[in-house]
Amino acid sequence: MSILVTGGAGYIGSHTVVELIEKGYDPIIVDNLSNSKIEVLDRIATITGVKPKFYKVDVCNKDEMRKIFESESISAVIHFAGYKAVGESVAKPLMYYNNNLNSTISVLELMLEYHVDNFVFSSSATVYGDPKVLPITEESEVGGVTNPYGRTKYMIEEILKDVAKVNSNLNIAILRYFNPIGAHPSGLIGEDPNDIPNNLMPYITQVAIGKRERLGVFGSDYNTVDGTGVRDYIHVVDLARGHLAALDKLDTKCGLTIYNLGTGMGTSVLQMVNAFQTANKLKVPFVITDRRPGDIDACYADCSKANKELKWQACYSVEEACKDSWNFQSKNPNGYDY
Ligand code: NAD
Ligand code: WQD
């Protein structure tokens, strides 16, 4: 069964491709490599023994995408492709609206044209904005998003609901990821950010390897256990497996469904620094700085819907994720670039 994986060379996509291959699926990656490296394909081959089929194509380019839909027998699409940097989206909103919305519309139109019925979409906990109640359920209010990146996710969710209403054959799983961290235990694939990392874990690993002097902890006056921001960090392999569970669900012809994919557990920035230090027996120098604009106090998921309906649950601990993040960083000090 061929699964089209847009953005499959990226961080979450590559881990999902590994899980797909290991479960006997036949993933086809479409990626324009705007935020990933071709090297990842060889790494996937080393882990699984299979080099996945790959098209270097921009998903917004419908003519090129049509050729893929024409020549391949696709049973489902997992749509990871998109830009994801919050700060960059504030500076370049049109670039984000253009890429994230058009890539999704392009794929959906081709799915309708070629009668491909099953679609998994990478959404984000960012659609919940600043949650009023914790833990966050799928019924919690959405839409109070404060940046263009987050708005693309919210807008795409709305588009998907409209499309599903008039295409009863379509089965759509909207997966709202919480904060993915970690790497494949082999240390062969992992997160490889361009430039200065925006997210906490890659920043910590770059401090640990000596690329950055110290971590800035953004604010210590949040309404949390120790004043630093609390998030729900999920190991990327657990997250990847959530996509396989979603594919099984779509096979039951379930229409449109929405799932939180997290661990259900909140971890503060300082707790994360401690977990990383303990897990890896390393020191991570840090300094408390000002809050980062737009950040919220706390965000963690109620995952009982995914536990029950997808029969999926996160298994890795934060400590294991810290070990795997460091394993990838230490084995690949310059990411996929030698
Ligand atoms: P990533 O940047 O590592 O992967 C995205 C991949 O898509 C990259 O390989 C990039 O080259 C590719 N891409 C982008 N635009 C494309 C286009 N027009 N055509 C073809 N390829 C294109 O990001 P990731 O962390 O793996 O995230 C995957 C998805 O999950 C994204 O949609 C992201 O918004 C979403 N998400 C990520 C996080 C996170 O913290 N990493 C959290 C919630 C949601
Ligand atoms: C986590 C915590 C920071 C960096 C972002 C996006 C969200 C989603 C995941 C895609 C916060 C603190 C961070 C640093 C710090 N992406 N921090 N120093 O902000 O929860 O979510 O990534 O959908 O949309 O907004 O994740 O990893 O940036 O921050 O103190 O150098 O770490 O303040 O409390 P965030 P993050």
Side-chain angles (χ1 to χ4, degrees), residues 194-236:
N194 292 327
D195 308 322
I196 302 171
N198 300 302
N199 294 114
L200 180 63
M201 182 54 82
Y203 207 103
I204 289 178
T205 61
Q206 291 200 5
V207 170
I209 200 116
K211 268 193 170 174
R212 321 241 160 238
E213 206 180 326
R214 63 174 79 86
L215 171 73
V217 174
F218 299 150
S220 59
D221 57 351
Y222 285 104
N223 184 20
T224 62
V225 57
D226 57 19
T228 64
V230 164
R231 299 290 183 273
D232 184 339
Y233 296 94
I234 174 170
H235 194 296
V236 66

Side-chain angles (χ1 to χ4, degrees), residues 153-220:
K153 294 296 177 189
Y154 173 69
M155 289 161 86
I156 292 166
E157 288 199 2
E158 295 302 298
I159 291 170
L160 290 173
K161 289 176 197 165
D162 288 339
V163 173
K165 257 184 228 156
V166 288
N167 292 280
S168 55
N169 55 312
L170 275 186
N171 305 299
I172 298 176
I174 293 176
L175 304 183
R176 294 178 179 154
Y177 311 155
F178 282 66
N179 290 56
I181 60 168
H184 191 267
S186 64
L188 285 164
I189 57 172
E191 191 169 12
D192 178 21
N194 292 327
D195 308 322
I196 302 171
N198 300 302
N199 294 114
L200 180 63
M201 182 54 82
Y203 207 103
I204 289 178
T205 61
Q206 291 200 5
V207 170
I209 200 116
K211 268 193 170 174
R212 321 241 160 238
E213 206 180 326
R214 63 174 79 86
L215 171 73
V217 174
F218 299 150
S220 59

Side-chain angles (χ1 to χ4, degrees), residues 71-93:
S71 62
E72 302 286 354
S73 174
I74 298 166
S75 58
V77 176
I78 307 181
H79 181 48
F80 293 105
Y83 297 145
K84 64 166 180 175
V86 172
E88 186 181 52
S89 80
V90 174
K92 299 175 182 170

